[in-house]
Amino acid sequence: MTLPGRRAWTVWRRNLDVFAKTWMVNLLVPALEPVLYLLALGFGVGYYIAEVDGVPYIRFIAPALVAVSVMNASFFECTYGSYVRMYYQKTFDAVIATPVSLEEVIAGEILWGATRSVISASLILPVLVLFGVADLPTSLLLIPFAFPAGLLFASIGMCFTAVIPNIESINYPAFLFITPMFLFSGTFFPLSLLPAPLQALALAALPLTHVVNVCRALTLAAGLDLLLLGLLWIAAVTPVAFLLALRMMKKRLVR
């Protein structure tokens, strides 16, 4: 398999230019969604829950909301967004007609998905600081961390894009993969409350678990062991998912 070259960034630049033309619509949802969760869960449910793991409940879920936003931004960009560009807009066909290779198109899509995660994290962090639920300066590390985390989810999303038969089928990974992670990755309650087998499954197979742990450790400046475990897990799995995405997408497109 040929590894992608620097022209992958031209694909990334093409997606950025399109994004900039509709920036208001593209930025509105990522900016407002975590605010709604923060208000509903933090101030609503948090009224009945004083503390979790020694911190106020709203401060406990705030970094998890960043992690969820990072996941959603890159995963859906490289499933729904990439599928539309590949199948309906024929963008892939047009780009491949230039000197850009197929591997560079796929890599450019994944890099753009990771960038969407950085944009989402950059939008949410000022909101968290404004609400007083994220401390500076350690929380600023969430922004650079959003790129490798987004690269992981973008690669996984591209793997699903390689196998789904039609755009309606994106609902399957959204319901069977994203929703369980959203609920059982320590997002809204400590992972330790789950039965031991489910804890082990979450740590072994749910990427959001590690992204939540890293975001929580960076925001609360605690949990160094989980921070290191999360970074190592992401560093080990992301290259595998990236190469698998390249292989699966090339197999789908070259028939």
Side-chain angles (χ1 to χ4, degrees), residues 38-102:
L38 201 64
L39 292 174
L41 296 173
F43 294 115
V45 179
Y47 179 81
Y48 298 98
I49 304 174
E51 290 185 346
V52 175
D53 288 346
V55 297
Y57 185 66
I58 192 170
R59 287 174 61 85
F60 178 80
I61 65 167
L65 294 178
V66 178
V68 170
S69 180
V70 164
M71 174 184 71
N72 286 339
S74 52
F75 183 84
F76 287 104
E77 181 64 34
C78 285
T79 48
Y80 182 80
S82 292
Y83 193 89
V84 168
R85 287 188 286 275
M86 173 180 66
Y87 188 80
Y88 293 101
Q89 297 179 344
K90 306 295 183 185
T91 304
F92 286 19
D93 294 346
V95 176
I96 292 171
T98 70
V100 178
S101 69
L102 182 57

Side-chain angles (χ1 to χ4, degrees), residues 168-234:
E168 289 81 10
S169 299
I170 293 175
N171 289 325
Y172 291 119
F175 178 72
L176 298 174
F177 183 63
I178 295 298
T179 301
M181 280 201 295
F182 181 67
L183 296 174
F184 299 108
S185 294
T187 311
F188 301 113
F189 54 87
L191 201 64
S192 57
L193 295 181
L194 293 174
L198 287 181
Q199 289 184 45
L201 178 64
L203 287 170
L206 301 184
L208 184 61
T209 302
H210 297 285
V211 176
V212 167
N213 286 339
V214 172
C215 288
R216 194 164 279 148
L218 293 176
T219 307
L220 302 177
L224 182 61
D225 53 341
L226 292 177
L227 173 70
L228 293 176
L229 174 63
L231 292 176
L232 288 173
W233 195 95
I234 292 168

